[in-house]
Amino acid sequence: MLKDIDTTTNLVINSVIESDKKIYSPIALYDLHINLAKVIDEVNCVANHYLALDFSEDFLQNSSFGKPEDKWRNTLNRDLERFNSSIKEYLHNLMRIGFEEEQKPILSSKINPLHFYGFVRDEYNIGFIEPCGFNIRSVFMTTSFDEKDSHLAQYKVIELDTFDKRLELQKSLNKRKNKLKLYLKRLTDYLRTHFSIDDILINNN
């Protein structure tokens, strides 16, 4: 989970930081910073709120949802729904980042922007727990980029039917979270070094 977010984030942020070209829109980069921070918060929530439970916890017992796993499923799906919304917003903002002299998004060298926007808006889904089940069904974005290929969807089922599997996903998400924090730190440093508050305000008018 989140390999596509890692790959696209790495591509865009590395391109921005390693180039001496002028960014087309400082406000878009500032928005991306805000969005990435929000995604990190949502990763943390999904990983460490209700995911890795063994169903013996007191707060799962005698709930209005029924069985302990029913309350777990309902709460985790709510966390995933918020996570999905923040990721969609983040991905759309990634496609806004480009250089002034090129007048096109950095990601457009890998993905057709129209295919990308439509896929993220209509198909992308970080996942949901099946009703009465223990699997997360997800629609991710392929990382084998081909700008001529309109098929971006990659389907995946993540099994969470045992406590060990839930712990494994928690560990994986926390690793992704820590990597995204490094990207955020790099982006923070870049914004501080290259722009003033006036740059952001002027470009926002």
Side-chain angles (χ1 to χ4, degrees):
M1 187 180 281
L2 300 184
K3 180 180 179 182
D4 53 349
I5 303 301
D6 188 342
T7 300
T8 50
T9 299
N10 181 64
L11 192 158
V12 171
I13 290 181
N14 280 349
S15 296
V16 167
I17 291 174
E18 294 172 6
S19 174
D20 57 1
K21 298 176 183 177
K22 187 176 180 181
I23 291 296
Y24 174 71
S25 172
I27 188 61
L29 202 61
Y30 176 72
D31 287 344
L32 188 72
H33 182 276
I34 293 174
N35 293 148
L36 181 53
K38 184 177 179 181
V39 166
I40 290 169
D41 285 344
E42 296 296 349
V43 175
N44 185 64
C45 179
V46 170
N48 301 305
H49 186 208
Y50 260 62
L51 172 61
L53 303 180
D54 64 12
F55 306 148
S56 66
E57 292 82 4
D58 289 342
F59 55 83
L60 291 181
Q61 313 307 314
N62 303 314
S63 81
S64 59
F65 295 102
K67 297 178 182 179
E69 54 265 42
D70 293 328
K71 182 176 181 181
W72 167 82
R73 190 180 294 112
N74 183 275
T75 305
L76 182 54
N77 272 334
R78 288 206 306 264
D79 292 344
L80 287 168
E81 185 177 359
R82 288 195 306 272
F83 190 21
N84 194 56
S85 294
S86 67
I87 284 183
K88 282 174 174 276
E89 184 178 8
Y90 175 70
L91 285 171
H92 277 147
N93 276 328
L94 267 181
M95 189 56 87
R96 294 172 60 204
I97 308 303
F99 298 115
E100 190 172 85
E101 64 185 69
E102 296 171 1
Q103 295 288 304
K104 64 180 183 180
I106 293 168
L107 278 181
S108 66
S109 65
K110 301 290 184 180
I111 314 170
N112 181 291
L114 290 178
H115 296 161
F116 177 85
Y117 277 116
F119 166 71
V120 172
R121 183 191 64 214
D122 301 329
E123 296 183 62
Y124 193 96
N125 196 320
I126 197 64
F128 62 93
I129 304 287
E130 301 168 325
C132 302
F134 294 91
N135 295 334
I136 291 182
R137 292 194 175 273
S138 304
V139 186
F140 297 135
M141 180 170 56
T142 179
T143 53
S144 301
F145 299 128
D146 182 350
E147 61 177 328
K148 297 179 181 178
D149 189 359
S150 61
H151 186 72
L152 298 176
Q154 184 176 18
Y155 303 94
K156 187 172 184 179
V157 176
I158 303 173
E159 296 180 351
L160 297 177
D161 56 322
T162 68
F163 182 54
D164 285 343
K165 289 177 182 177
R166 296 191 284 276
L167 283 175
E168 182 179 351
L169 180 57
Q170 181 187 52
K171 182 178 179 181
S172 174
L173 285 172
N174 280 322
K175 282 185 177 180
R176 292 288 189 192
K177 177 187 69 177
N178 290 334
K179 196 167 183 183
L180 290 175
K181 282 184 175 180
L182 295 177
Y183 293 134
L184 182 64
K185 175 65 165 58
R186 295 183 70 198
L187 188 54
T188 299
D189 292 344
Y190 181 88
L191 284 165
R192 282 175 172 162
T193 308
H194 289 76
F195 302 106
S196 68
I197 187 64
D198 287 337
D199 295 318
I200 304 300
L201 294 175
I202 289 171
N203 279 275
N204 200 26
N205 292 329

